[in-house]
């Protein structure tokens, strides 16, 4: 594993804490509604305030591109359907002290209005049955693919999400991210892509699309990726090629989580278990499965502890539906990763609703605790669970609002 020195940005946080916080600021517009342009206009000052309010910890960062917002006008089949929320968000900040840019990619929108906030869950997060060639299968109109051949495959959802990001154009500069970065490239400058949850799956896909080889990376001082809580998006070919361009890297002096170009994930977080090990991965254990040993009407083992009776059936239903989504045989392979065990361990669930509540806590709060930072006040929906049983509307509500 490559070893590098830490980057100092002028704040009290180390570079991983800093970049993680910056990535989470991309979700500060989840409660906003309206058109894509109106949401972006409102979100910019919100992010600026977060940067200012946290400058003692993060150092001085300036927003230099975005935020850009994608908002769909059709469902996953191409039929017209209205969204009033930010379906994808991305922005870029710059720190002069370290000569460093960070690209922050938002996770699944946590807005509670499920009538208008459905695209991320249905079309991106859980759209994993079909795979497309990477990177040639991603054909944005506002960016030019630097590759001429495929190196693997990614999910249709990841391909659509990456396309949305590549098509974004900043209102101030009129440039796509690709064009903006082309103007900033320097062998003295560091570039970092970061995101949590859905953002954690899209940021490495985006970075690899933009950078086809180590020779492209070498035009910068360094290019790194920090994906957290990310589900798996590609097959072995994609993983092999990503790893060849973005070398696994340890940051000297930052213990526990000082890694670039690896997914940092909580083994008790449901989301990173998709799409490779929701069920039936032997040996049955917390790192391998979300649920196992299910006996209908009787019991089930979960990564948080056993449940019985109706609660066991409800838990199995929410996970089993998702387990059926990947193709067979399952092609998904996790990117290089570093898992952690949260402290304290999640409590044993008393019922199905407690299971859902813990799912949300382990997907969001446990990471803030692990990195030693405060909550960002930006919700991320946990999409990698199916709808709750119809006989329990209160469970359905808990499922929608998890995280």
């Amino acid at each position: 594993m490559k070893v590098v020195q830490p980057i100092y940005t002028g704040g009290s946080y180390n570079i991983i804490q800093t970049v993680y916080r910056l990535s989470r600021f991309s979700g500060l517009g989840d409660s906003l509604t309206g058109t894509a342009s109106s949401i972006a206009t409102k979100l910019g000052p919100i992010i600026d305030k977060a940067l200012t309010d946290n400058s003692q910890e993060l150092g001085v960062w300036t927003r230099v591109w975005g935020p850009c917002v994608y908002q769909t006008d059709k469902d996953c089949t191409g039929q017209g359907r209205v969204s009033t929320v930010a379906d994808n968000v991305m922005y870029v900040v710059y720190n002069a002290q370290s000569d460093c840019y960070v690209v922050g990619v938002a996770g699944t929108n946590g807005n509670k209005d499920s009538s208008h906030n459905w695209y991320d869950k249905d079309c991106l997060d859980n759209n994993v049955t079909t795979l497309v060639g990477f990177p040639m299968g991603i054909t944005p109109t506002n960016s030019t693919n630097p590759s001429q051949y495929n190196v693997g495959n990614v999910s249709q959802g990841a391909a659509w999400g990456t396309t949305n990001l590549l098509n974004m154009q900043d209102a101030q500069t009129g440039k796509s991210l690709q064009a903006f970065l082309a103007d900033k490239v320097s062998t003295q400058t560091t570039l970092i892509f970061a995101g949590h949850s859905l953002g954690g799956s899209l940021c490495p896909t985006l970075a690899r699309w933009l950078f086809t080889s180590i020779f492209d990376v070498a035009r910068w001082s360094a290019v790194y990726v920090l994906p957290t809580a990310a589900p798996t998006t590609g097959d072995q070919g994609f993983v092999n090629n990503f790893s060849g361009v973005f070398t696994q890297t340890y940051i000297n002096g930052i213990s526990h989580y000082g890694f670039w170009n690896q997914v940092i994930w909580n083994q008790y977080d449901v989301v990173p278990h998709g799409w490779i090990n929701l069920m039936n991965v032997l040996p049955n254990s917390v790192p391998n499965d979300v649920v196992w040993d299910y006996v209908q009407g009787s019991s089930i083992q979960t990564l948080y502890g056993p449940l019985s009776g109706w609660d066991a059936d409800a838990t199995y239903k929410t996970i089993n539906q998702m387990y059926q989504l990947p193709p067979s045989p399952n092609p998904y392979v996790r990117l290089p990763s570093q898992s952690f065990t949260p402290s304290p361990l999640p409590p044993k669930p008393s019922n199905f609703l407690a299971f859902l509540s813990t799912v949300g806590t382990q997907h969001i709060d446990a990471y803030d605790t692990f990195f030693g930072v405060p909550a960002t006040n930006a919700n991320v929906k946990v999409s990698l669970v199916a709808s709750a049983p119809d006989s329990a509307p209160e469970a359905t509500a808990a499922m929608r609002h998890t995280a």
Side-chain angles (χ1 to χ4, degrees):
M1 182 179 295
K2 183 179 179 181
V3 179
V4 297
Q5 296 304 309
I7 299 168
Y8 296 102
T9 62
S12 59
Y13 284 165
N14 63 49
I15 187 59
I16 295 294
Q17 292 173 308
T18 298
V19 173
Y20 171 73
R21 285 282 277 166
L22 292 172
S23 77
R24 298 284 283 120
F25 290 166
S26 61
L28 290 173
D30 283 1
S31 63
L32 300 176
T33 58
T35 64
S37 60
S38 69
I39 293 173
T41 299
K42 296 174 186 175
L43 179 56
I46 294 173
I47 292 176
D48 291 344
K49 185 177 186 303
L51 295 173
T52 300
D53 291 349
N54 293 274
S55 60
Q56 182 174 347
E57 294 82 15
L58 305 176
V60 177
W61 293 83
T62 304
R63 178 170 56 92
V64 293
W65 184 93
C68 291
V69 173
Y70 170 79
Q71 189 176 76
T72 190
D73 59 0
K74 55 184 177 293
D75 66 15
C76 310
T77 67
Q79 300 297 310
R81 186 177 179 183
V82 176
S83 168
T84 61
V85 303
D87 294 316
N88 291 114
V89 176
M90 181 167 63
Y91 81 111
V92 183
V93 287
Y94 178 70
N95 177 262
Q97 177 168 329
S98 59
D99 194 2
C100 178
Y101 291 93
V102 171
V103 179
V105 181
T108 303
N109 192 307
N111 193 296
K112 296 179 180 180
D113 181 5
S114 58
S115 296
H116 297 98
N117 180 29
W118 46 268
Y119 175 80
D120 287 355
K121 178 178 184 294
D122 295 345
C123 301
L124 302 187
D125 290 330
N126 298 336
N127 192 354
V128 297
T129 303
T130 300
L131 281 81
V132 299
F134 181 89
M136 298 303 292
I138 299 174
T139 56
T141 57
N142 293 333
S143 298
T144 302
N145 197 326
S147 291
Q148 297 182 359
Y149 56 90
N150 285 325
V151 297
N153 299 277
V154 296
S155 71
Q156 181 67 80
W160 283 351
T162 305
T163 299
N164 297 341
L165 299 177
L166 290 165
N167 275 335
M168 290 175 170
Q169 289 182 299
D170 176 49
Q172 297 299 315
T173 65
K175 295 179 179 179
S176 68
L177 178 68
Q178 184 182 41
F180 174 81
L181 294 178
D183 289 342
K184 304 301 180 183
V185 62
S186 166
T187 55
Q188 304 302 311
T189 305
T190 300
L191 173 63
I192 302 170
F193 296 81
H196 188 80
S197 191
L198 171 63
S201 67
L202 293 181
C203 69
T205 314
L206 171 68
R208 173 54 191 83
W209 193 96
L210 291 168
F211 292 87
T212 64
S213 71
I214 57 175
F215 302 105
D216 298 318
V217 171
R219 297 175 61 204
W220 297 74
S221 174
V223 181
Y224 300 125
V225 181
L226 180 65
T228 55
T232 299
T233 59
D235 63 6
Q236 188 67 64
F238 173 74
V239 171
N240 289 347
N241 194 268
F242 175 87
S243 302
V245 176
F246 295 96
T247 305
Q248 298 178 52
T249 302
Y250 171 69
I251 305 170
N252 190 35
I254 301 180
S255 59
H256 306 302
Y257 52 74
F259 301 98
W260 297 123
N261 305 335
Q262 300 183 74
V263 178
I264 299 179
W265 65 287
N266 170 13
Q267 64 177 315
Y268 286 90
D269 179 4
V270 168
V271 173
H273 282 77
W275 292 97
I276 57 173
N277 53 359
L278 298 175
M279 299 170 57
N280 301 339
V281 176
L282 297 175
N284 295 131
S285 65
V286 169
N288 282 345
D289 298 289
V290 174
V291 298
W292 63 92
D293 291 344
Y294 171 61
V295 179
Q296 185 175 1
S298 176
S299 61
I300 194 171
Q301 180 61 251
T302 81
L303 73 173
Y304 309 130
L307 288 168
S308 60
W310 180 90
D311 297 293
D313 293 341
T315 302
Y316 176 78
K317 180 177 181 180
T318 66
I319 302 301
N320 186 58
Q321 291 183 50
M322 313 313 291
Y323 176 66
Q324 307 305 317
L325 293 180
S328 182
N330 189 334
Y332 289 101
V333 177
R334 180 181 285 125
L335 288 172
S337 63
Q338 294 285 336
S339 66
F340 68 89
T341 302
S343 180
L345 290 175
K348 293 183 179 180
S350 56
N351 53 41
F352 176 57
L353 290 179
F355 172 84
L356 294 184
S357 177
T358 302
V359 165
T361 299
Q362 293 303 310
H363 187 54
I364 302 296
D365 301 352
Y367 289 86
D368 295 336
T369 300
F370 177 65
F371 289 119
V373 302
T376 307
N377 195 31
N379 291 330
V380 176
K381 183 179 291 184
V382 181
S383 294
L384 205 149
V385 277
S387 298
D390 295 337
S391 59
E394 72 280 6
T396 302
M399 182 71 73
R400 289 195 190 110
H401 301 167
T402 295

